[in-house]
Short mmCIF file of all heavy atoms in Angstrom, two decimals:
data_model
loop_
_atom_site.label_atom_id
_atom_site.label_comp_id
_atom_site.label_asym_id
_atom_site.label_seq_id
_atom_site.Cartn_x
_atom_site.Cartn_y
_atom_site.Cartn_z
N MET A 89 43.16 -97.15 85.23
CA MET A 89 42.96 -97.52 83.85
C MET A 89 43.74 -96.59 82.93
O MET A 89 44.28 -97.03 81.93
CB MET A 89 41.47 -97.49 83.54
CG MET A 89 41.16 -97.91 82.15
SD MET A 89 41.60 -99.62 81.94
CE MET A 89 40.50 -100.11 80.70
N SER A 90 43.78 -95.31 83.28
CA SER A 90 44.49 -94.36 82.41
C SER A 90 45.99 -94.65 82.38
O SER A 90 46.63 -94.48 81.34
CB SER A 90 44.23 -92.93 82.88
OG SER A 90 44.73 -92.75 84.18
N ARG A 91 46.55 -95.09 83.48
CA ARG A 91 47.97 -95.42 83.53
C ARG A 91 48.28 -96.59 82.60
O ARG A 91 49.29 -96.57 81.89
CB ARG A 91 48.39 -95.75 84.95
CG ARG A 91 49.87 -96.03 85.08
CD ARG A 91 50.27 -96.41 86.47
NE ARG A 91 50.24 -95.22 87.31
CZ ARG A 91 50.53 -95.23 88.59
NH1 ARG A 91 50.85 -96.36 89.18
NH2 ARG A 91 50.51 -94.13 89.29
N ILE A 92 47.42 -97.58 82.58
CA ILE A 92 47.62 -98.74 81.71
C ILE A 92 47.56 -98.32 80.25
O ILE A 92 48.39 -98.74 79.44
CB ILE A 92 46.57 -99.83 82.01
CG1 ILE A 92 46.82 -100.41 83.41
CG2 ILE A 92 46.63 -100.94 80.97
CD1 ILE A 92 45.73 -101.35 83.87
N LEU A 93 46.60 -97.46 79.90
CA LEU A 93 46.48 -97.00 78.51
C LEU A 93 47.70 -96.17 78.09
O LEU A 93 48.15 -96.27 76.95
CB LEU A 93 45.19 -96.19 78.34
CG LEU A 93 43.90 -96.99 78.42
CD1 LEU A 93 42.70 -96.06 78.34
CD2 LEU A 93 43.84 -98.03 77.32
N ILE A 94 48.22 -95.37 79.00
CA ILE A 94 49.42 -94.59 78.68
C ILE A 94 50.61 -95.51 78.46
O ILE A 94 51.38 -95.33 77.50
CB ILE A 94 49.71 -93.57 79.80
CG1 ILE A 94 48.63 -92.48 79.78
CG2 ILE A 94 51.10 -92.96 79.64
CD1 ILE A 94 48.70 -91.53 80.96
N ILE A 95 50.77 -96.52 79.31
CA ILE A 95 51.88 -97.46 79.16
C ILE A 95 51.76 -98.23 77.85
O ILE A 95 52.75 -98.38 77.12
CB ILE A 95 51.93 -98.43 80.37
CG1 ILE A 95 52.35 -97.67 81.62
CG2 ILE A 95 52.89 -99.59 80.11
CD1 ILE A 95 52.22 -98.46 82.91
N ILE A 96 50.56 -98.69 77.51
CA ILE A 96 50.35 -99.40 76.25
C ILE A 96 50.65 -98.49 75.07
O ILE A 96 51.27 -98.90 74.09
CB ILE A 96 48.93 -99.97 76.19
CG1 ILE A 96 48.77 -101.11 77.19
CG2 ILE A 96 48.60 -100.47 74.78
CD1 ILE A 96 47.35 -101.62 77.34
N GLY A 97 50.23 -97.23 75.17
CA GLY A 97 50.50 -96.27 74.10
C GLY A 97 51.99 -96.04 73.89
O GLY A 97 52.48 -95.98 72.76
N VAL A 98 52.73 -95.91 74.98
CA VAL A 98 54.18 -95.71 74.88
C VAL A 98 54.85 -96.94 74.28
O VAL A 98 55.75 -96.82 73.43
CB VAL A 98 54.78 -95.37 76.27
CG1 VAL A 98 56.29 -95.41 76.25
CG2 VAL A 98 54.29 -94.01 76.73
N ILE A 99 54.42 -98.11 74.68
CA ILE A 99 54.98 -99.36 74.14
C ILE A 99 54.71 -99.45 72.64
O ILE A 99 55.61 -99.79 71.85
CB ILE A 99 54.43 -100.59 74.89
CG1 ILE A 99 54.99 -100.63 76.30
CG2 ILE A 99 54.77 -101.88 74.15
CD1 ILE A 99 54.35 -101.68 77.19
N LEU A 100 53.48 -99.12 72.23
CA LEU A 100 53.15 -99.17 70.80
C LEU A 100 53.94 -98.13 70.01
O LEU A 100 54.38 -98.39 68.89
CB LEU A 100 51.66 -98.96 70.59
CG LEU A 100 50.75 -100.12 71.00
CD1 LEU A 100 49.30 -99.74 70.86
CD2 LEU A 100 51.06 -101.34 70.14
N LEU A 101 54.14 -96.95 70.58
CA LEU A 101 54.92 -95.92 69.92
C LEU A 101 56.37 -96.37 69.73
O LEU A 101 56.94 -96.24 68.63
CB LEU A 101 54.88 -94.62 70.73
CG LEU A 101 55.68 -93.46 70.17
CD1 LEU A 101 55.05 -92.98 68.88
CD2 LEU A 101 55.75 -92.34 71.17
N LEU A 102 56.97 -96.92 70.77
CA LEU A 102 58.34 -97.41 70.67
C LEU A 102 58.46 -98.57 69.67
O LEU A 102 59.41 -98.63 68.90
CB LEU A 102 58.86 -97.85 72.04
CG LEU A 102 59.09 -96.73 73.05
CD1 LEU A 102 59.45 -97.31 74.41
CD2 LEU A 102 60.16 -95.78 72.56
N ALA A 103 57.47 -99.47 69.68
CA ALA A 103 57.49 -100.58 68.73
C ALA A 103 57.38 -100.06 67.30
O ALA A 103 58.06 -100.57 66.40
CB ALA A 103 56.35 -101.55 69.04
N GLY A 104 56.56 -99.05 67.07
CA GLY A 104 56.43 -98.47 65.74
C GLY A 104 57.71 -97.81 65.26
O GLY A 104 58.10 -97.94 64.10
N ILE A 105 58.38 -97.09 66.15
CA ILE A 105 59.64 -96.44 65.79
C ILE A 105 60.70 -97.49 65.47
O ILE A 105 61.42 -97.37 64.46
CB ILE A 105 60.10 -95.51 66.93
CG1 ILE A 105 59.15 -94.31 67.03
CG2 ILE A 105 61.54 -95.05 66.71
CD1 ILE A 105 59.37 -93.45 68.26
N ILE A 106 60.80 -98.51 66.30
CA ILE A 106 61.78 -99.58 66.06
C ILE A 106 61.48 -100.29 64.74
O ILE A 106 62.37 -100.56 63.93
CB ILE A 106 61.81 -100.57 67.23
CG1 ILE A 106 62.40 -99.89 68.47
CG2 ILE A 106 62.59 -101.83 66.88
CD1 ILE A 106 62.24 -100.69 69.74
N TRP A 107 60.20 -100.58 64.49
CA TRP A 107 59.79 -101.27 63.26
C TRP A 107 60.16 -100.43 62.04
O TRP A 107 60.66 -100.94 61.04
CB TRP A 107 58.29 -101.49 63.29
CG TRP A 107 57.78 -102.53 62.35
CD1 TRP A 107 58.19 -102.78 61.08
CD2 TRP A 107 56.75 -103.45 62.60
NE1 TRP A 107 57.47 -103.79 60.53
CE2 TRP A 107 56.57 -104.22 61.44
CE3 TRP A 107 55.92 -103.68 63.68
CZ2 TRP A 107 55.61 -105.21 61.34
CZ3 TRP A 107 54.97 -104.67 63.57
CH2 TRP A 107 54.82 -105.43 62.43
N TYR A 108 59.94 -99.12 62.11
CA TYR A 108 60.26 -98.21 61.00
C TYR A 108 61.75 -98.27 60.66
O TYR A 108 62.12 -98.40 59.50
CB TYR A 108 59.84 -96.80 61.38
CG TYR A 108 60.24 -95.76 60.35
CD1 TYR A 108 59.53 -95.62 59.17
CD2 TYR A 108 61.33 -94.94 60.58
CE1 TYR A 108 59.90 -94.67 58.23
CE2 TYR A 108 61.71 -93.99 59.65
CZ TYR A 108 60.98 -93.86 58.48
OH TYR A 108 61.36 -92.94 57.55
N PHE A 109 62.59 -98.19 61.68
CA PHE A 109 64.02 -98.19 61.43
C PHE A 109 64.53 -99.56 60.99
O PHE A 109 65.47 -99.64 60.19
CB PHE A 109 64.79 -97.68 62.65
CG PHE A 109 64.69 -96.19 62.81
CD1 PHE A 109 64.01 -95.65 63.89
CD2 PHE A 109 65.25 -95.34 61.88
CE1 PHE A 109 63.90 -94.28 64.04
CE2 PHE A 109 65.14 -93.97 62.02
CZ PHE A 109 64.47 -93.43 63.10
N LEU A 110 63.93 -100.63 61.48
CA LEU A 110 64.34 -101.96 61.02
C LEU A 110 63.99 -102.17 59.54
O LEU A 110 64.75 -102.81 58.81
CB LEU A 110 63.68 -103.04 61.88
CG LEU A 110 64.24 -103.22 63.28
CD1 LEU A 110 63.47 -104.29 64.04
CD2 LEU A 110 65.72 -103.57 63.24
N GLU A 111 62.85 -101.63 59.09
CA GLU A 111 62.50 -101.74 57.68
C GLU A 111 63.46 -100.93 56.81
O GLU A 111 63.77 -101.33 55.70
CB GLU A 111 61.06 -101.27 57.45
CG GLU A 111 60.03 -102.28 57.91
CD GLU A 111 58.61 -101.82 57.65
OE1 GLU A 111 58.40 -100.63 57.30
OE2 GLU A 111 57.70 -102.64 57.78
N LYS A 112 63.93 -99.80 57.31
CA LYS A 112 64.90 -99.00 56.56
C LYS A 112 66.22 -99.74 56.38
O LYS A 112 66.88 -99.58 55.37
CB LYS A 112 65.16 -97.66 57.27
CG LYS A 112 64.02 -96.71 57.25
CD LYS A 112 63.82 -96.17 55.87
CE LYS A 112 62.71 -95.13 55.88
NZ LYS A 112 62.42 -94.64 54.56
N VAL A 113 66.58 -100.55 57.38
CA VAL A 113 67.81 -101.33 57.31
C VAL A 113 67.64 -102.56 56.42
O VAL A 113 68.59 -103.10 55.89
CB VAL A 113 68.26 -101.75 58.74
CG1 VAL A 113 69.46 -102.66 58.72
CG2 VAL A 113 68.53 -100.52 59.58
N GLY A 114 66.40 -102.99 56.24
CA GLY A 114 66.13 -104.15 55.39
C GLY A 114 65.67 -105.38 56.15
O GLY A 114 65.54 -106.45 55.57
N LEU A 115 65.45 -105.24 57.44
CA LEU A 115 64.97 -106.37 58.24
C LEU A 115 63.44 -106.35 58.30
O LEU A 115 62.84 -105.28 58.31
CB LEU A 115 65.53 -106.29 59.66
CG LEU A 115 67.04 -106.34 59.77
CD1 LEU A 115 67.46 -106.11 61.21
CD2 LEU A 115 67.57 -107.67 59.29
N THR A 116 62.83 -107.50 58.31
CA THR A 116 61.38 -107.57 58.41
C THR A 116 61.00 -108.23 59.73
O THR A 116 61.74 -109.04 60.28
CB THR A 116 60.77 -108.41 57.26
OG1 THR A 116 61.31 -109.72 57.30
CG2 THR A 116 61.07 -107.78 55.92
N PHE A 117 59.83 -107.86 60.23
CA PHE A 117 59.32 -108.49 61.44
C PHE A 117 57.86 -108.81 61.24
O PHE A 117 57.12 -107.97 60.76
CB PHE A 117 59.47 -107.57 62.66
CG PHE A 117 58.98 -108.22 63.92
CD1 PHE A 117 59.80 -109.10 64.60
CD2 PHE A 117 57.72 -108.00 64.40
CE1 PHE A 117 59.37 -109.73 65.75
CE2 PHE A 117 57.27 -108.62 65.55
CZ PHE A 117 58.10 -109.48 66.22
N PRO A 118 57.37 -109.95 61.57
CA PRO A 118 58.17 -111.09 62.02
C PRO A 118 58.93 -111.70 60.85
O PRO A 118 58.48 -111.60 59.71
CB PRO A 118 57.12 -112.06 62.57
CG PRO A 118 55.87 -111.72 61.87
CD PRO A 118 55.95 -110.25 61.57
N PRO A 119 60.05 -112.32 61.12
CA PRO A 119 60.82 -112.91 60.03
C PRO A 119 60.08 -114.08 59.42
O PRO A 119 59.24 -114.72 60.06
CB PRO A 119 62.11 -113.38 60.72
CG PRO A 119 61.73 -113.55 62.14
CD PRO A 119 60.66 -112.54 62.42
N ARG A 120 60.35 -114.35 58.17
CA ARG A 120 59.72 -115.50 57.52
C ARG A 120 60.40 -116.76 58.00
O ARG A 120 61.57 -117.01 57.73
CB ARG A 120 59.82 -115.36 56.01
CG ARG A 120 58.98 -114.22 55.51
CD ARG A 120 58.88 -114.22 54.03
NE ARG A 120 58.00 -113.14 53.63
CZ ARG A 120 57.88 -112.71 52.42
NH1 ARG A 120 58.61 -113.26 51.46
NH2 ARG A 120 57.06 -111.73 52.14
N LEU A 121 59.65 -117.54 58.74
CA LEU A 121 60.19 -118.77 59.31
C LEU A 121 60.06 -119.90 58.30
O LEU A 121 59.21 -119.86 57.40
CB LEU A 121 59.44 -119.10 60.60
CG LEU A 121 59.58 -118.05 61.71
CD1 LEU A 121 58.68 -118.40 62.88
CD2 LEU A 121 61.01 -117.92 62.15
N PRO A 122 60.88 -120.94 58.41
CA PRO A 122 60.86 -122.02 57.43
C PRO A 122 59.52 -122.74 57.31
O PRO A 122 59.18 -123.24 56.24
CB PRO A 122 61.93 -123.00 57.95
CG PRO A 122 62.82 -122.18 58.81
CD PRO A 122 61.95 -121.11 59.39
N SER A 123 58.73 -122.79 58.36
CA SER A 123 57.46 -123.52 58.31
C SER A 123 56.31 -122.67 57.78
O SER A 123 55.20 -123.17 57.63
CB SER A 123 57.10 -124.04 59.69
OG SER A 123 58.10 -124.92 60.14
N ASP A 124 56.53 -121.39 57.51
CA ASP A 124 55.49 -120.56 56.92
C ASP A 124 55.28 -120.98 55.47
O ASP A 124 56.21 -121.40 54.79
CB ASP A 124 55.86 -119.09 57.00
CG ASP A 124 55.87 -118.56 58.42
OD1 ASP A 124 55.25 -119.21 59.29
OD2 ASP A 124 56.48 -117.51 58.66
N ILE A 125 54.06 -120.85 55.00
CA ILE A 125 53.71 -121.31 53.66
C ILE A 125 53.76 -120.13 52.69
O ILE A 125 53.15 -119.10 52.92
CB ILE A 125 52.31 -121.95 53.66
CG1 ILE A 125 52.30 -123.16 54.59
CG2 ILE A 125 51.89 -122.32 52.25
CD1 ILE A 125 50.93 -123.73 54.84
N LEU A 126 54.49 -120.30 51.59
CA LEU A 126 54.61 -119.28 50.55
C LEU A 126 54.28 -119.93 49.22
O LEU A 126 54.93 -120.90 48.81
CB LEU A 126 56.02 -118.70 50.53
CG LEU A 126 56.30 -117.63 49.50
CD1 LEU A 126 55.44 -116.38 49.75
CD2 LEU A 126 57.77 -117.26 49.50
N ILE A 127 53.25 -119.42 48.54
CA ILE A 127 52.83 -119.96 47.25
C ILE A 127 52.99 -118.87 46.20
O ILE A 127 52.42 -117.78 46.34
CB ILE A 127 51.36 -120.43 47.30
CG1 ILE A 127 51.18 -121.52 48.36
CG2 ILE A 127 50.90 -120.91 45.93
CD1 ILE A 127 49.74 -121.89 48.62
N LYS A 128 53.77 -119.16 45.16
CA LYS A 128 53.96 -118.22 44.05
C LYS A 128 53.50 -118.89 42.77
O LYS A 128 54.01 -119.93 42.39
CB LYS A 128 55.43 -117.82 43.92
CG LYS A 128 55.95 -116.95 45.02
CD LYS A 128 57.38 -116.54 44.75
CE LYS A 128 57.90 -115.66 45.86
NZ LYS A 128 59.28 -115.21 45.62
N LYS A 129 52.52 -118.27 42.12
CA LYS A 129 52.05 -118.76 40.83
C LYS A 129 51.82 -117.55 39.92
O LYS A 129 50.94 -116.74 40.17
CB LYS A 129 50.76 -119.55 40.98
CG LYS A 129 50.94 -120.88 41.64
CD LYS A 129 49.73 -121.74 41.51
CE LYS A 129 50.02 -123.10 42.13
NZ LYS A 129 48.92 -124.02 41.97
N GLY A 130 52.64 -117.44 38.93
CA GLY A 130 52.51 -116.32 37.99
C GLY A 130 52.72 -114.99 38.69
O GLY A 130 53.74 -114.75 39.32
N ASN A 131 51.71 -114.12 38.59
CA ASN A 131 51.80 -112.80 39.21
C ASN A 131 51.28 -112.80 40.63
O ASN A 131 51.30 -111.76 41.29
CB ASN A 131 50.98 -111.78 38.40
CG ASN A 131 51.55 -111.58 37.02
OD1 ASN A 131 52.62 -112.07 36.70
ND2 ASN A 131 50.84 -110.86 36.19
N THR A 132 50.80 -113.91 41.12
CA THR A 132 50.17 -113.98 42.43
C THR A 132 51.10 -114.62 43.46
O THR A 132 51.73 -115.64 43.19
CB THR A 132 48.87 -114.82 42.35
OG1 THR A 132 48.04 -114.29 41.33
CG2 THR A 132 48.12 -114.79 43.66
N THR A 133 51.17 -113.98 44.61
CA THR A 133 51.94 -114.52 45.73
C THR A 133 51.04 -114.57 46.95
O THR A 133 50.42 -113.57 47.31
CB THR A 133 53.17 -113.64 46.04
OG1 THR A 133 53.99 -113.57 44.88
CG2 THR A 133 53.96 -114.21 47.18
N ILE A 134 50.93 -115.74 47.56
CA ILE A 134 50.12 -115.92 48.76
C ILE A 134 51.05 -116.38 49.87
O ILE A 134 51.82 -117.33 49.71
CB ILE A 134 49.01 -116.96 48.53
CG1 ILE A 134 48.10 -116.51 47.38
CG2 ILE A 134 48.20 -117.15 49.80
CD1 ILE A 134 47.09 -117.56 46.97
N TYR A 135 50.96 -115.68 51.00
CA TYR A 135 51.84 -115.97 52.13
C TYR A 135 50.98 -116.27 53.35
O TYR A 135 50.16 -115.46 53.75
CB TYR A 135 52.76 -114.77 52.38
CG TYR A 135 53.67 -114.92 53.57
CD1 TYR A 135 54.63 -115.92 53.61
CD2 TYR A 135 53.59 -114.05 54.63
CE1 TYR A 135 55.47 -116.06 54.69
CE2 TYR A 135 54.43 -114.17 55.72
CZ TYR A 135 55.36 -115.18 55.74
OH TYR A 135 56.19 -115.31 56.81
N PHE A 136 51.15 -117.46 53.94
CA PHE A 136 50.45 -117.86 55.14
C PHE A 136 51.46 -117.97 56.29
O PHE A 136 52.17 -118.96 56.40
CB PHE A 136 49.76 -119.23 54.96
CG PHE A 136 48.71 -119.25 53.90
CD1 PHE A 136 48.95 -119.86 52.69
CD2 PHE A 136 47.48 -118.66 54.12
CE1 PHE A 136 47.98 -119.88 51.71
CE2 PHE A 136 46.50 -118.68 53.16
CZ PHE A 136 46.76 -119.29 51.94
N PRO A 137 51.51 -116.96 57.15
CA PRO A 137 52.51 -116.99 58.25
C PRO A 137 52.00 -117.79 59.45
O PRO A 137 51.79 -117.26 60.54
CB PRO A 137 52.68 -115.52 58.58
CG PRO A 137 51.34 -114.93 58.28
CD PRO A 137 50.83 -115.69 57.08
N ILE A 138 51.81 -119.09 59.26
CA ILE A 138 51.21 -119.92 60.31
C ILE A 138 52.11 -119.99 61.55
O ILE A 138 51.67 -119.70 62.66
CB ILE A 138 50.93 -121.34 59.77
CG1 ILE A 138 49.87 -121.25 58.67
CG2 ILE A 138 50.49 -122.27 60.87
CD1 ILE A 138 49.64 -122.53 57.93
N VAL A 139 53.36 -120.35 61.38
CA VAL A 139 54.27 -120.48 62.52
C VAL A 139 54.55 -119.12 63.14
O VAL A 139 54.61 -118.99 64.37
CB VAL A 139 55.58 -121.18 62.09
CG1 VAL A 139 56.57 -121.24 63.23
CG2 VAL A 139 55.27 -122.59 61.59
N SER A 140 54.68 -118.09 62.32
CA SER A 140 54.90 -116.74 62.84
C SER A 140 53.70 -116.29 63.69
O SER A 140 53.87 -115.67 64.73
CB SER A 140 55.12 -115.75 61.70
OG SER A 140 56.28 -116.09 60.98
N SER A 141 52.49 -116.62 63.24
CA SER A 141 51.29 -116.26 64.00
C SER A 141 51.25 -116.98 65.35
O SER A 141 50.88 -116.37 66.36
CB SER A 141 50.04 -116.61 63.20
OG SER A 141 49.99 -115.89 62.00
N ILE A 142 51.62 -118.24 65.36
CA ILE A 142 51.65 -118.99 66.61
C ILE A 142 52.69 -118.39 67.56
O ILE A 142 52.44 -118.22 68.75
CB ILE A 142 51.93 -120.48 66.34
CG1 ILE A 142 50.74 -121.11 65.61
CG2 ILE A 142 52.21 -121.23 67.64
CD1 ILE A 142 51.00 -122.50 65.09
N LEU A 143 53.85 -118.04 67.02
CA LEU A 143 54.91 -117.45 67.83
C LEU A 143 54.49 -116.10 68.42
O LEU A 143 54.68 -115.85 69.61
CB LEU A 143 56.17 -117.29 66.99
CG LEU A 143 57.42 -116.79 67.69
CD1 LEU A 143 57.85 -117.80 68.77
CD2 LEU A 143 58.54 -116.61 66.69
N VAL A 144 53.87 -115.25 67.62
CA VAL A 144 53.39 -113.95 68.10
C VAL A 144 52.31 -114.16 69.16
O VAL A 144 52.26 -113.46 70.17
CB VAL A 144 52.88 -113.09 66.94
CG1 VAL A 144 52.12 -111.87 67.43
CG2 VAL A 144 54.03 -112.67 66.05
N SER A 145 51.43 -115.14 68.96
CA SER A 145 50.38 -115.43 69.92
C SER A 145 50.96 -115.86 71.27
O SER A 145 50.49 -115.41 72.33
CB SER A 145 49.47 -116.53 69.38
OG SER A 145 48.51 -116.89 70.33
N ILE A 146 51.97 -116.69 71.25
CA ILE A 146 52.60 -117.14 72.50
C ILE A 146 53.26 -115.97 73.21
O ILE A 146 53.12 -115.82 74.43
CB ILE A 146 53.61 -118.28 72.21
CG1 ILE A 146 52.88 -119.54 71.78
CG2 ILE A 146 54.49 -118.55 73.42
CD1 ILE A 146 53.78 -120.63 71.24
N ILE A 147 53.97 -115.15 72.46
CA ILE A 147 54.65 -113.99 73.06
C ILE A 147 53.63 -113.03 73.67
O ILE A 147 53.81 -112.56 74.80
CB ILE A 147 55.54 -113.28 72.02
CG1 ILE A 147 56.73 -114.17 71.67
CG2 ILE A 147 56.02 -111.93 72.54
CD1 ILE A 147 57.54 -113.69 70.50
N LEU A 148 52.55 -112.73 72.96
CA LEU A 148 51.53 -111.83 73.50
C LEU A 148 50.83 -112.42 74.72
O LEU A 148 50.52 -111.70 75.67
CB LEU A 148 50.51 -111.47 72.42
CG LEU A 148 50.98 -110.50 71.35
CD1 LEU A 148 49.90 -110.32 70.29
CD2 LEU A 148 51.38 -109.18 71.95
N THR A 149 50.59 -113.71 74.70
CA THR A 149 49.97 -114.37 75.85
C THR A 149 50.86 -114.25 77.08
O THR A 149 50.38 -113.92 78.18
CB THR A 149 49.69 -115.86 75.54
OG1 THR A 149 48.83 -115.94 74.41
CG2 THR A 149 49.06 -116.55 76.73
N LEU A 150 52.14 -114.51 76.93
CA LEU A 150 53.07 -114.38 78.05
C LEU A 150 53.17 -112.93 78.53
O LEU A 150 53.18 -112.67 79.74
CB LEU A 150 54.45 -114.90 77.67
CG LEU A 150 54.56 -116.40 77.46
CD1 LEU A 150 55.94 -116.76 76.92
CD2 LEU A 150 54.30 -117.13 78.76
N LEU A 151 53.20 -111.99 77.61
CA LEU A 151 53.29 -110.58 77.97
C LEU A 151 52.05 -110.13 78.74
O LEU A 151 52.16 -109.48 79.78
CB LEU A 151 53.48 -109.72 76.71
CG LEU A 151 53.59 -108.23 76.94
CD1 LEU A 151 54.88 -107.92 77.69
CD2 LEU A 151 53.56 -107.51 75.61
N LEU A 152 50.87 -110.49 78.25
CA LEU A 152 49.64 -110.12 78.94
C LEU A 152 49.51 -110.81 80.29
O LEU A 152 48.99 -110.24 81.25
CB LEU A 152 48.42 -110.41 78.06
CG LEU A 152 48.30 -109.52 76.83
CD1 LEU A 152 47.16 -110.00 75.95
CD2 LEU A 152 48.11 -108.08 77.22
N TYR A 153 50.00 -112.05 80.39
CA TYR A 153 50.00 -112.74 81.68
C TYR A 153 50.88 -112.01 82.69
O TYR A 153 50.49 -111.82 83.84
CB TYR A 153 50.47 -114.19 81.49
CG TYR A 153 50.66 -114.91 82.80
CD1 TYR A 153 49.56 -115.36 83.52
CD2 TYR A 153 51.93 -115.13 83.33
CE1 TYR A 153 49.73 -116.02 84.74
CE2 TYR A 153 52.11 -115.78 84.52
CZ TYR A 153 51.00 -116.23 85.23
OH TYR A 153 51.18 -116.86 86.42
N LEU A 154 52.07 -111.61 82.24
CA LEU A 154 52.97 -110.90 83.14
C LEU A 154 52.41 -109.54 83.55
O LEU A 154 52.53 -109.13 84.71
CB LEU A 154 54.34 -110.73 82.48
CG LEU A 154 55.15 -112.00 82.32
CD1 LEU A 154 56.42 -111.72 81.51
CD2 LEU A 154 55.48 -112.61 83.66
N ILE A 155 51.76 -108.85 82.62
CA ILE A 155 51.14 -107.57 82.94
C ILE A 155 50.02 -107.76 83.95
O ILE A 155 49.86 -106.97 84.88
CB ILE A 155 50.64 -106.87 81.67
CG1 ILE A 155 51.82 -106.37 80.84
CG2 ILE A 155 49.73 -105.70 82.00
CD1 ILE A 155 51.45 -105.82 79.49
N SER A 156 49.25 -108.82 83.79
CA SER A 156 48.12 -109.05 84.71
C SER A 156 48.59 -109.43 86.13
O SER A 156 47.84 -109.26 87.08
CB SER A 156 47.20 -110.14 84.17
OG SER A 156 47.82 -111.41 84.24
N ARG A 157 49.81 -109.92 86.25
CA ARG A 157 50.34 -110.29 87.56
C ARG A 157 50.73 -109.07 88.39
O ARG A 157 50.74 -109.13 89.60
CB ARG A 157 51.56 -111.19 87.40
CG ARG A 157 51.27 -112.50 86.69
CD ARG A 157 50.40 -113.40 87.49
NE ARG A 157 51.12 -113.83 88.67
CZ ARG A 157 50.60 -114.48 89.69
NH1 ARG A 157 49.32 -114.78 89.67
NH2 ARG A 157 51.30 -114.83 90.71
N PHE A 158 51.05 -107.96 87.71
CA PHE A 158 51.43 -106.73 88.41
C PHE A 158 50.18 -105.91 88.66
O PHE A 158 49.31 -105.79 87.80
CB PHE A 158 52.44 -105.91 87.59
CG PHE A 158 53.76 -106.62 87.41
CD1 PHE A 158 54.13 -107.09 86.17
CD2 PHE A 158 54.61 -106.79 88.48
CE1 PHE A 158 55.34 -107.73 86.01
CE2 PHE A 158 55.83 -107.43 88.31
CZ PHE A 158 56.19 -107.90 87.08
N LYS A 159 50.10 -105.32 89.82
CA LYS A 159 48.95 -104.48 90.16
C LYS A 159 49.35 -103.03 89.97
O LYS A 159 50.30 -102.54 90.57
CB LYS A 159 48.51 -104.74 91.59
CG LYS A 159 48.00 -106.14 91.78
CD LYS A 159 47.52 -106.35 93.18
CE LYS A 159 47.03 -107.79 93.32
NZ LYS A 159 46.57 -108.09 94.64
N PHE A 160 48.61 -102.35 89.13
CA PHE A 160 48.90 -100.93 88.87
C PHE A 160 48.13 -100.06 89.80
O PHE A 160 47.02 -100.12 90.05
CB PHE A 160 48.58 -100.58 87.42
CG PHE A 160 49.55 -101.18 86.44
CD1 PHE A 160 49.23 -102.31 85.74
CD2 PHE A 160 50.80 -100.61 86.26
CE1 PHE A 160 50.11 -102.86 84.82
CE2 PHE A 160 51.69 -101.13 85.37
CZ PHE A 160 51.36 -102.26 84.66
#
């Protein structure tokens, strides 16, 4: 169990570092996809990342499936 937690921690650390540098360059993650809902009225902006959420869910499901297939 400790090995899995260390691997997850390293992955999260690397993802955080990459995310930080991508924001400095001006890139956002996840990108705003065309099917995401954006409502702007006056000073209020509401963003519903529906398609982005589905995409992240599919990627995480596949990643966790692949991790579960390997025996640590």
Side-chain angles (χ1 to χ4, degrees):
M89 182 65 152
S90 62
R91 183 182 287 179
I92 293 172
L93 290 175
I94 291 172
I95 291 171
I96 291 172
V98 169
I99 290 171
L100 287 175
L101 179 68
L102 291 174
I105 291 170
I106 291 169
W107 198 321
Y108 175 77
F109 285 113
L110 286 178
E111 285 181 349
K112 290 290 184 183
V113 175
L115 299 174
T116 59
F117 182 81
R120 292 190 177 167
L121 298 174
S123 299
D124 292 341
I125 299 171
L126 180 64
I127 300 171
K128 290 184 180 181
K129 289 192 177 184
N131 295 352
T132 306
T133 301
I134 301 172
Y135 178 62
F136 297 105
I138 295 172
V139 176
S140 297
S141 298
I142 293 170
L143 184 63
V144 168
S145 176
I146 291 170
I147 291 170
L148 286 176
T149 301
L150 291 173
L151 181 67
L152 291 174
Y153 173 76
L154 290 174
I155 289 173
S156 71
R157 299 292 294 170
F158 295 110
K159 295 182 181 179
F160 289 101

